[in-house]
Amino acid sequence: MDLHSAGSMVLQALTQATSQNTAELKPAEEQLRQWETQPGFYSVLLSIFNNHMLDVNVRWLAVLYFKNGIDRYWRRVAPHALSEEEKSSLRAGLITNFNEPVNQIATQIAVLIAKVARLDCPRQWPELIPVLLEKVKVQDVLQQHRALLTFYHVTKTLASKRLAADRRLFQDLASSIYSFACSLWNHHTDTFLLQIQTGDQQEALSSLERTLLSLKVICLSILLCLSCVCVCVCVCPVGRQVGPGHACREKLEKTIILYTKVVTADFLEHHPYPFIPLIQRSLEFAVSFVFTPVGDGLLFERFIVQCMNLIKMIVKNDAYRPDKNIEDSKPETLEAHKIKTAFFTHPTLTEIAKRLVSKYFLLTEEELIMWEEDPEGFAVEETGGDSWKYSLRPSTEVLFLDIFHNYSQTLTPVLLEMMHSLQGPSNVDDTLQLLMKDAVYNAVGLAAYELFDSVDFDQWFSSQLLGELQVNHNRYKLIRRRAIWLIGQWIAVKFKPELRPLLYEVILNLLSSSFTLLNSSSPVDDFEFRTEQFLPYLECIFGLLFQLLQQVNECDSKMQVLHVLSCVIERVSIQIRPYVGCLVQYLPLLWKQSEEHNMLRCAILTTLIHLVQGLGAESRNLYPFLLPVIQLSTDVSQPPHVYLLEDGLELWLVTLENCPSITPELLRIFQNMSALLELSTENVKTCFQIVNAYTYLSASDFLQNYGEGLCRSFCELLKDITNEGQVQVLKVVEIALKVSPLLAPHVFQPLLPAVFRGVLDGERYPVVMSVYLGVIGRVVLQNSSFFSALLSQMALESNQEMDQLLGNMIEMWVDRMDNITQPERRKLSSLALLSLLPSDNSVIQDKFCGIINICVEALHDVMTEDPDSGTFKDCMLVSSLDEPKLSDDEEPPSEQDKRRKLLALEDPVHTVSLQQCVYEKLKAQQLLMGDAGFQALMETVDTEIVRQLQEFLQGL
């Protein structure tokens, strides 16, 4: 493409491409797309966006096309790659223009140059960095800023490269530019301070922008080059002259935050040992501004958060904590610990703790107004996760926790003194006293585990907190809210069970009047909870919680109330049944209302899980609502499944486990399973449990409707799956064979030959071999005709005799019996091999010795001796009379537990005495062969094995 002749054509196309008229826009975009691969196109684009006389939108579009072209065509191996000659020309042209007047275009050009630098610098573009360093030194303000902007983006892009060789190159670059970046920082900072003194706001803003860019370059150099040491000092004091309405205020705050966050906190996080020389100065800096009058009039919220995070990271840093054996500690660690110990003296720690509680823990006027105007929004506190990194209240609480944990001996008396100073009821007209008590109670709750031996909480609850919870004055709601939260913090630490009824009565009073309990599931969600103590209050508390669920409007509020309801249902189990009618009627409406709020729907699913478990078989009444919910949550073609799938699968599983009998609608949901198994996600284990639950529930209906598709899914899974996954799949097949021995072998026939071959080949992983033998054992024992057909099919495919395959299988079975560790499977193997007797087949008779060896091993596993009579009994036999009595704290069996019990009553492993079976099979073999033949057969067995066998068969 000739630069001169094509320039006007490209310019016209770009102009049309900025049009709002689609008749012009679409053809222009298509024309530009065709030109993308033409030689010279990007040179034309360069000339267009460097021409400041053209329309801004056209130049903007030219930059974007150029930038996108770098991603597609700059690499040598790319299709239609740019020639080396054109790239060389473009690189030269990109660093000749640092006077772009439009900020947005200047930023895009800087990003564009950085993209090229990532691919070509320094090898093909060695002159880039020297040119940028030279341009940054010019006197022209605009050129200096644009060069510095480009310098930052290039540095940022080069720092992001991850290959070791590239990182070494950047570390060399960082070492060379660090000093220069620091000099820029100091120069522009001094210039900014001078301009602030003279009142030149616009010039000061320009200098501050260059200060910020210089600092960003320094940050990148520090994080990736350990030879760089931070020497900059933040310019917070200038904040007194740069008030809230000042033009530089926003940019100045950004600069200060960047300094405290990246140069200190991030550097400390990644390189704790090089940071050691800065510990003292950093602590002095942060503590003086946040916890002394030095910071008065200067502080803003994000700066306070960053300073607190800096102190926390120094206090908690493992690199600064000596080993228990001091001699094993690194010298750097001991040095850091010495600095910390010297800094955190008793007066300093006392002042920090008191300031945290008395200043930063106090509820602000904005928070109190919010409580009055939006109690739900106020009650939903921002806690957990990484909120301490960005929000003031979580950061103050996390800092308090870490300091208290590390210096508890010093700070415990300080906090106890504050606590004792607020004993007794507070004056409802003294707002400051109420706020102070709220803050101290907050501190005592956060430090509950540290104060375990210092606070008699039971006595405090009875003498102080209980009375305060009963004060009904509206202004005292501040203390009521904090007191119930405080009890929630301590209940798992130190709280007598005898006091719980008093607590439940208080909760009843609180629930009937406010949002106080939105966050308090602790009284029913701890290890010491006793159901019998809670039952007298269950009806009232559950009813009030349900009323609260209806009253609140915010999603977060409803989620928290649902969480408490779920905890109550889970803890009282079947005792909840008389009281859930109202909730059951309300949940469908709430589900419909929450269509746009997937996290609320997750909370509803969790509640339904506990509800179904509590209702047991009665949960069938919920199916008109429950089954569509499961259908939607587990349908991967529906967008909400991304949020709902995990809880939806759990709900599906508990619904099946508690279902008394199959319904067409419940069976139909299994249509979702095929797509779920294709995902092969971490939820596949739950999917297998669901398949098992369907098998236990109604094997015939389930396998007839979905068996073929399920087998196809399993065959696909087995093609590319780990050994553990293979075991999980075959365990599902094994259960199907156990539940439906006649139908299941035909359903899963396509994958059984692979299992058979695995046995013959001597699968080397013991767990896999064990499950292989379990699957084959079920077929041999419970469907001999199918096994004969399978053996015939395998013989035909492998061009071998059936007897030869049978002999090889028995030989491998005997040889790998030790791979089977479960007594149930060991007995199954014995019964399966015994089912081949009596036989006049010479192959089976040749393997008779091995079969008897396996049987004797299994007899040792399952037979227990009666010490009184000296007789043996098969411990795996079960009967309908073996119903264990449930203790008070045991949950009744689910419907699936009952089905498994009934299945055991039909399973040969649990109904056939191995001792009796061995005896009868040997007798039958003796009748078949005659005494002489049988005696010759028994002589093939080791005499010690025969002796042990006779002991087990004694008395039969």
Side-chain angles (χ1 to χ4, degrees):
M1 178 177 286
D2 179 71
L3 183 61
H4 299 290
S5 61
S8 59
M9 296 166 54
V10 175
L11 179 61
Q12 182 181 5
L14 287 170
T15 304
Q16 292 174 342
T18 61
S19 171
Q20 301 298 315
N21 185 349
T22 55
E24 293 184 3
L25 175 65
K26 294 298 181 182
E29 287 180 342
E30 177 61 26
Q31 181 63 71
L32 289 167
R33 189 187 64 78
Q34 292 176 7
W35 283 338
E36 282 180 357
T37 57
Q38 294 295 314
F41 176 64
Y42 294 95
S43 298
V44 174
L45 291 178
L46 176 64
S47 67
I48 289 175
F49 67 70
N50 275 341
N51 186 346
H52 303 163
M53 304 299 294
L54 297 176
D55 180 72
V56 170
N57 293 325
V58 173
R59 295 174 58 230
W60 169 268
L61 195 58
V63 173
L64 293 184
Y65 268 97
F66 195 115
K67 190 173 72 170
N68 293 336
I70 295 171
D71 294 330
R72 295 173 187 167
Y73 309 115
W74 198 273
R75 296 180 188 273
R76 278 182 255 182
V77 295
H80 309 292
L82 275 70
S83 67
E84 291 301 319
E85 293 77 14
E86 184 173 6
K87 287 197 292 185
S88 178
S89 172
L90 292 172
R91 285 193 294 261
L94 285 171
I95 54 177
T96 58
N97 177 20
F98 289 101
N99 58 352
E100 172 56 54
V102 181
N103 285 331
Q104 293 87 342
I105 295 178
T107 301
Q108 289 301 317
I109 293 174
V111 172
L112 182 158
I113 293 173
K115 281 179 172 287
V116 177
R118 183 179 179 86
L119 300 172
D120 291 357
C121 185
R123 293 180 180 87
Q124 285 81 36
W125 205 2
E127 65 273 17
L128 173 63
I129 300 299
V131 168
L132 290 176
L133 294 178
E134 188 64 34
K135 290 294 183 181
V136 166
K137 298 177 184 177
V138 300
Q139 295 301 312
D140 184 88
V141 173
L142 180 63
Q143 285 198 42
Q144 191 182 71
H145 180 274
R146 298 313 190 222
L148 192 54
L149 178 67
T150 305
F151 187 40
Y152 161 64
H153 280 286
V154 168
T155 308
K156 179 181 177 182
T157 301
L158 294 178
S160 68
K161 300 177 79 170
R162 288 291 173 261
L163 293 177
D166 292 327
R167 292 183 72 79
R168 281 194 298 271
L169 281 173
F170 181 75
Q171 286 180 0
D172 294 340
L173 172 64
S175 300
S176 64
I177 67 173
Y178 174 74
S179 298
F180 178 72
C182 279
S183 66
L184 283 177
W185 154 267
N186 289 324
H187 170 71
H188 293 307
T189 300
D190 291 342
T191 304
F192 164 70
L193 293 173
L194 183 62
Q195 290 164 340
I196 286 294
Q197 297 288 341
T198 60
D200 192 343
Q201 292 193 15
Q202 288 304 315
E203 289 297 324
L205 182 60
S206 176
S207 296
L208 190 57
E209 287 177 353
R210 283 170 282 164
T211 298
L212 185 58
L213 288 171
S214 304
L215 183 57
K216 288 179 178 180
V217 175
I218 292 172
C219 296
L220 292 167
S221 302
I222 288 175
L223 289 176
L224 287 156
C225 182
L226 297 184
S227 62
C228 301
V229 179
C230 173
V231 295
C232 306
V233 177
C234 197
V235 290
C236 292
V238 80
R240 288 193 174 90
Q241 296 165 280
V242 182
H246 199 284
C248 298
R249 180 71 183 194
E250 183 180 352
K251 191 72 70 175
L252 179 61
E253 289 187 3
K254 284 184 179 180
T255 304
I256 293 171
I257 290 303
L258 179 64
Y259 178 83
T260 54
K261 177 183 179 297
V262 184
V263 179
T264 54
D266 285 358
F267 182 38
L268 169 60
E269 181 179 353
H270 292 96
H271 308 301
Y273 293 126
F275 189 83
I276 290 174
L278 302 175
I279 291 177
Q280 179 75 22
R281 293 174 61 189
S282 298
L283 287 173
E284 290 172 352
F285 169 81
V287 170
S288 64
F289 275 106
V290 178
F291 296 112
T292 72
V294 172
D296 293 348
L298 296 174
L299 301 180
F300 54 96
E301 183 171 314
R302 290 183 62 200
F303 175 64
I304 298 172
V305 170
Q306 295 302 334
C307 287
M308 289 190 175
N309 291 347
L310 174 60
I311 299 169
K312 167 198 168 345
M313 292 174 70
I314 293 174
V315 169
K316 196 178 180 182
N317 201 307
D318 290 334
Y320 303 155
R321 184 177 292 117
D323 295 332
K324 290 183 179 179
N325 185 359
I326 298 295
E327 295 177 355
D328 296 335
S329 303
K330 294 181 178 180
E332 297 91 340
T333 300
L334 295 176
E335 175 65 20
H337 182 67
K338 180 180 177 182
I339 296 171
K340 284 169 54 180
T341 303
F343 181 83
F344 287 112
T345 61
H346 187 283
T348 301
L349 287 169
T350 301
E351 184 63 23
I352 289 174
K354 286 185 175 181
R355 284 265 183 163
L356 278 172
V357 176
S358 62
K359 181 178 179 180
Y360 293 106
F361 277 18
L362 294 183
L363 291 175
T364 64
E365 184 177 351
E366 291 79 8
E367 287 172 319
L368 293 174
I369 293 173
M370 183 181 183
W371 191 346
E372 293 297 331
E373 297 179 352
D374 181 17
E376 286 187 58
F378 173 78
V380 180
E381 298 179 3
E382 183 183 10
T383 57
D386 288 339
S387 58
W388 59 271
K389 291 183 178 180
Y390 315 106
S391 300
L392 181 58
R393 187 163 296 281
S395 74
T396 60
E397 293 178 351
V398 168
L399 176 61
F400 175 82
L401 266 173
D402 287 330
I403 287 185
F404 205 95
H405 176 73
N406 283 274
Y407 302 99
S408 57
Q409 289 186 344
T410 303
L411 295 179
T412 294
V414 176
L415 185 55
L416 291 178
E417 180 188 344
M418 299 175 77
M419 182 177 126
H420 293 145
S421 69
L422 294 168
Q423 288 289 82
S426 298
N427 184 354
V428 294
D429 295 322
D430 189 342
T431 303
L432 183 59
Q433 187 183 29
L434 292 175
L435 290 173
M436 190 65 190
K437 179 174 281 192
D438 172 80
V440 172
Y441 281 10
N442 186 16
V444 174
L446 292 172
Y449 286 96
E450 307 296 336
L451 296 173
F452 179 86
D453 293 322
S454 304
V455 174
D456 184 350
F457 191 79
D458 296 327
Q459 191 275 333
W460 193 35
F461 169 77
S462 301
S463 63
Q464 171 91 8
L465 299 178
L466 192 59
E468 293 193 307
L469 287 168
Q470 294 169 341
V471 177
N472 291 322
H473 196 285
N474 182 57
R475 291 183 183 174
Y476 221 76
K477 66 182 179 182
L478 187 70
I479 306 304
R480 292 197 300 271
R481 166 186 172 271
R482 182 58 69 186
I484 197 67
W485 172 88
L486 173 63
I487 295 166
Q489 295 295 107
W490 274 84
I491 201 164
V493 179
K494 194 176 186 180
F495 195 76
K496 284 183 180 178
E498 295 78 18
L499 295 175
R500 283 177 181 265
L502 281 174
L503 176 60
Y504 297 147
E505 290 178 9
V506 169
I507 290 173
L508 275 175
N509 292 330
L510 293 172
L511 269 174
S512 58
S513 60
S514 69
F515 295 116
T516 303
L517 232 67
L518 281 178
N519 276 323
S520 294
S521 62
S522 301
V524 294
D525 193 20
D526 75 293
F527 185 73
E528 296 291 335
F529 176 80
R530 296 178 184 175
T531 305
E532 67 276 7
Q533 287 184 319
F534 187 72
L535 287 179
Y537 308 94
L538 174 59
E539 182 176 4
C540 292
I541 287 180
F542 194 84
L544 288 169
L545 282 170
F546 173 67
Q547 289 179 20
L548 184 59
L549 179 64
Q550 291 178 298
Q551 291 169 5
V552 296
N553 297 310
E554 298 292 332
C555 279
D556 287 338
S557 303
K558 288 186 181 293
M559 286 167 60
Q560 290 178 354
V561 179
L562 281 171
H563 172 67
V564 180
L565 282 167
S566 296
C567 288
V568 171
I569 296 169
E570 183 180 16
R571 298 315 294 264
V572 302
S573 188
I574 62 173
Q575 307 281 357
I576 198 65
R577 291 177 183 177
Y579 314 117
V580 295
C582 55
L583 181 63
V584 167
Q585 292 176 8
Y586 177 66
L587 284 179
L589 175 62
L590 184 60
W591 179 265
K592 186 176 181 180
Q593 292 173 342
S594 62
E595 188 172 357
E596 302 298 323
H597 305 282
N598 288 308
M599 297 312 294
L600 176 54
R601 285 196 160 185
C602 287
I604 296 172
L605 289 172
T606 302
T607 304
L608 286 171
I609 289 168
H610 295 304
L611 199 54
V612 170
Q613 289 172 327
L615 290 174
E618 294 180 19
S619 61
R620 183 166 183 162
N621 298 327
L622 297 178
Y623 284 6
F625 165 57
L626 198 60
L627 300 189
V629 167
I630 297 172
Q631 167 70 38
L632 174 68
S633 304
T634 60
D635 185 351
V636 297
S637 67
Q638 298 292 331
H641 90 274
V642 175
Y643 304 93
L644 308 179
L645 180 59
E646 186 173 349
D647 293 317
L649 287 172
E650 188 67 26
L651 178 59
W652 191 358
L653 178 59
V654 299
T655 300
L656 290 166
E657 290 175 341
N658 290 277
C659 176
S661 60
I662 195 70
T663 68
E665 295 79 14
L666 186 56
L667 189 63
R668 197 175 301 123
I669 297 177
F670 196 81
Q671 294 172 354
N672 289 352
M673 184 58 70
S674 177
L676 289 168
L677 291 175
E678 287 178 12
L679 290 177
S680 297
T681 62
E682 64 275 5
N683 295 313
V684 73
K685 190 172 182 180
T686 308
C687 293
F688 290 157
Q689 292 175 311
I690 289 169
V691 175
N692 290 339
Y694 272 108
T695 305
Y696 286 125
L697 181 58
S698 181
S700 57
D701 290 336
F702 171 59
L703 293 177
Q704 286 171 4
N705 282 276
Y706 297 106
E708 184 180 346
L710 183 63
C711 184
R712 280 198 303 271
S713 296
F714 281 179
C715 288
E716 287 299 315
L717 280 173
L718 290 171
K719 289 179 181 178
D720 182 24
I721 199 170
T722 63
N723 289 318
E724 175 60 27
Q726 191 174 0
V727 168
Q728 294 299 324
V729 171
L730 292 177
K731 279 183 177 179
V732 176
V733 176
E734 186 179 10
I735 288 172
L737 294 171
K738 182 197 299 187
V739 177
S740 182
L742 298 181
L743 177 59
H746 295 280
V747 170
F748 293 105
Q749 192 277 335
L751 57 77
L752 290 178
V755 176
F756 196 100
R757 280 191 294 272
V759 173
L760 293 178
D761 295 341
E763 167 61 47
R764 63 184 185 134
Y765 291 100
V767 180
V768 177
M769 187 63 166
S770 174
V771 76
Y772 278 173
L773 294 174
V775 169
I776 295 298
R778 284 289 170 187
V779 177
V780 172
L781 178 61
Q782 295 183 266
N783 198 332
S784 57
S785 61
F786 181 86
F787 176 69
S788 297
L790 177 63
L791 197 62
S792 175
Q793 175 192 343
M794 295 295 296
L796 188 63
E797 291 177 359
S798 61
N799 198 25
Q800 297 182 54
E801 294 293 328
M802 286 179 60
D803 284 349
Q804 182 183 354
L805 281 181
L806 179 60
N808 292 342
M809 181 195 76
I810 297 173
E811 183 176 347
M812 187 59 68
W813 205 326
V814 173
D815 182 61
R816 302 298 291 275
M817 182 68 174
D818 287 342
N819 289 167
I820 306 174
T821 57
Q822 303 92 333
E824 180 178 334
R825 280 212 187 112
R826 291 176 70 84
K827 181 178 178 180
L828 172 65
S829 289
S830 301
L831 292 174
L833 291 174
L834 282 172
S835 70
L836 301 175
L837 301 177
S839 174
D840 56 2
N841 188 313
S842 60
V843 172
I844 294 177
Q845 291 182 8
D846 286 343
K847 307 301 178 185
F848 180 79
C849 173
I851 294 174
I852 296 302
N853 286 344
I854 283 182
C855 291
V856 172
E857 285 185 27
L859 284 168
H860 279 291
D861 293 329
V862 304
M863 301 302 288
T864 56
E865 185 177 6
D866 188 327
D868 297 326
S869 64
T871 58
F872 289 93
K873 179 184 178 183
D874 191 331
C875 67
M876 301 202 73
L877 295 180
V878 297
S879 72
S880 57
L881 302 177
D882 296 338
E883 284 291 340
K885 291 186 178 179
L886 296 175
S887 61
D888 293 337
D889 57 349
E890 284 185 300
E891 294 185 6
S894 67
E895 294 299 308
Q896 180 158 301
D897 293 332
K898 296 175 185 176
R899 288 190 283 271
R900 295 174 69 170
K901 172 69 174 177
L902 292 174
L903 175 62
L905 295 175
E906 299 175 1
D907 185 355
V909 174
H910 297 293
T911 57
V912 175
S913 166
L914 181 58
Q915 179 191 36
Q916 188 69 35
C917 182
V918 171
Y919 176 77
E920 291 175 357
K921 290 294 184 179
L922 291 179
K923 278 294 184 184
Q925 188 70 31
Q926 184 177 18
L927 286 174
L928 177 67
M929 299 182 66
D931 292 344
F934 181 70
Q935 183 62 34
L937 194 61
M938 287 300 294
E939 287 176 358
T940 64
V941 183
D942 183 81
T943 55
E944 176 59 24
I945 297 295
V946 173
R947 187 190 65 76
Q948 294 176 24
L949 179 63
Q950 289 171 342
E951 278 188 27
F952 282 119
L953 301 185
Q954 186 178 357
L956 294 179

